[in-house]
Amino acid sequence: MAAMVALVAVTAAAVLAGGGARAQLIEGFYSHSCPQAEKIIKDYVMEHVPHAPGIPATLIRTHFHDCFVRGCDASVLLNATGGKKDAEKDAAPNLTLRGFGFIDRIKAILEKECPGVVSCADILALAARDSVNFIGGPFWSVPTGRRDGTVSIKQEALDNIPAPTFNFTQLLQSFQNKSLNLADLVWLSGAHTIGIAHCNSFSKRLYNFTGRGGPGDADPSLDKFYAATLRRNKCKTPTDNTTIAEMDPGSFKTFDLDYYRGVLKHRGLFQSDAALITDAAAKADILTVVNGPPELFFKVFAGSMVKMGAIEVKTGSEGEIRKHCALVNKH
């Protein structure tokens, strides 16, 4: 609880006061160089999300996966070169990411408005925030001034993105490696309140948890009735790689507390979801927000998003401002 109370007070100013590159991120970074930048991004989100309701979930996931590899530098958006499949987006955790075209179209509009000014990293951070807010989720500060990275390596994505099979110790270490804490782990996991997952990311919990195989070999930490429903209606075979399931059944398009309620009932899809209630402090934080007003979750989630958005950012003369988000500039 102490960790949660401390995080409630986190503001963008507090997060960015740590010095170094972080301190160079400021709200309104483009107020002179491209005054309409943030409005252009928000307007595009508001116009197109109603026709693509899965966008908020995929953008926030893409932002998360970006920040955990080389910092928030849009390296996850880069294509591999030379016909290889060795960029971050080619790594298994990123193969189901969507929304690259969405970011590209925003970038194209901004390039016409202010050529070579607004980074892809900032576009991703702002669009993720605006899309979540559009569907009724929280609003958080997005200080800007990030620069785009020029390196994207598949193996680094495999090494740094927390796996859905992680236990609590592994999850916490992964977050601590990025200067995030236990509370950040709990609150950022709350993004699973929206979106979907493919069967291959959790089917081992349904069919082959210990290696014996079959529907009798389910993860004992998963509610048996929920597991049976998933086997019957979603992941009908252990080898199903294409069927999708809602992360938060019944409200997967709504940013609310139902994800945490499901976790407390042992109905989280991933082992990493179930892991949250194996730690006493994490479980206590979940109970606090579930039993509190909705705005409490929004506030702590927003604080953790500000922290995540400042991970190892490139600013000043570091990196570049890409002309196209999928390609490093030609020099």
Side-chain angles (χ1 to χ4, degrees):
M1 177 62 181
M4 189 205 70
V5 173
L7 185 56
V8 169
V10 170
T11 64
V15 170
L16 302 179
R22 285 185 174 188
Q24 297 176 46
L25 289 183
I26 60 170
E27 292 187 53
F29 179 83
Y30 300 108
S31 59
H32 297 295
S33 58
C34 191
Q36 296 300 308
E38 294 195 25
K39 182 179 185 300
I40 287 171
I41 295 169
K42 184 177 181 180
D43 287 350
Y44 190 89
V45 166
M46 292 179 68
E47 179 182 355
H48 291 89
V49 167
H51 309 293
I55 283 292
T58 199
L59 290 185
I60 202 164
R61 183 170 171 236
T62 302
H63 185 31
F64 177 92
H65 284 205
D66 180 45
C67 291
F68 265 62
V69 184
R70 292 183 169 265
C72 309
D73 68 347
S75 53
V76 73
L77 305 180
L78 285 171
N79 289 338
T81 58
K84 300 177 182 178
K85 291 288 184 181
D86 56 1
E88 288 175 37
K89 63 168 59 173
D90 300 309
N94 293 330
L95 291 177
T96 54
L97 291 180
R98 302 291 181 264
F100 296 120
F102 191 90
I103 297 298
D104 287 343
R105 289 188 287 275
I106 296 175
K107 176 62 172 174
I109 296 168
L110 287 168
E111 282 298 298
K112 291 180 180 178
E113 177 79 11
C114 316
V117 173
V118 183
S119 70
C120 299
D122 279 341
I123 294 171
L124 178 57
L126 288 162
R129 186 271 310 276
D130 290 342
S131 64
V132 167
N133 185 239
F134 179 80
I135 61 169
F139 183 91
W140 59 91
S141 300
V142 179
T144 44
R146 296 168 188 78
R147 305 266 293 178
D148 297 325
T150 58
V151 176
S152 184
I153 300 172
K154 178 179 179 178
Q155 187 60 46
E156 292 183 353
L158 297 171
D159 293 341
N160 287 279
I161 296 172
T165 55
F166 272 10
N167 61 34
F168 190 82
T169 300
Q170 293 169 313
L171 286 171
L172 185 58
Q173 186 61 61
S174 177
F175 275 65
Q176 289 175 335
N177 289 345
K178 303 302 174 182
S179 299
L180 300 175
N181 59 27
L182 182 148
D184 299 317
L185 163 58
V186 175
W187 308 140
L188 293 174
S189 295
H192 287 176
T193 185
I194 53 175
I196 56 175
H198 289 75
C199 284
N200 60 344
S201 61
F202 61 89
S203 61
K204 183 180 178 182
R205 302 188 75 200
L206 304 177
Y207 290 101
N208 195 33
F209 192 67
T210 67
R212 297 195 313 270
D217 189 21
D219 182 348
S221 70
L222 182 63
D223 176 81
K224 63 180 181 180
F225 298 106
Y226 183 45
T229 298
L230 288 169
R231 285 192 295 267
R232 183 172 62 251
N233 298 332
K234 297 292 183 179
C235 312
K236 298 179 181 180
T237 69
T239 56
D240 186 339
N241 293 325
T242 56
T243 302
I244 57 176
E246 300 170 4
M247 295 291 292
D248 182 3
S251 68
F252 75 108
K253 295 180 183 178
T254 306
F255 208 95
D256 57 24
L257 288 163
D258 284 353
Y259 161 74
Y260 290 124
R261 295 187 181 104
V263 168
L264 290 170
K265 294 176 182 176
H266 302 280
R267 293 180 179 180
L269 271 188
F270 296 155
Q271 284 175 254
S272 56
D273 295 322
L276 295 178
I277 57 172
T278 64
D279 179 85
K283 186 175 181 179
D285 278 354
I286 291 173
L287 287 167
T288 298
V289 292
V290 165
N291 294 320
E295 56 266 26
L296 176 58
F297 169 47
F298 278 26
K299 194 168 186 177
V300 292
F301 180 83
S304 289
M305 285 301 300
V306 174
K307 290 178 68 176
M308 189 193 81
I311 294 174
E312 300 168 20
V313 292
K314 296 170 177 63
T315 60
S317 60
E318 300 175 290
E320 64 181 18
I321 304 297
R322 284 183 223 142
K323 294 179 175 63
H324 188 289
C325 292
L327 305 170
V328 173
N329 294 342
K330 294 180 180 179
H331 297 286

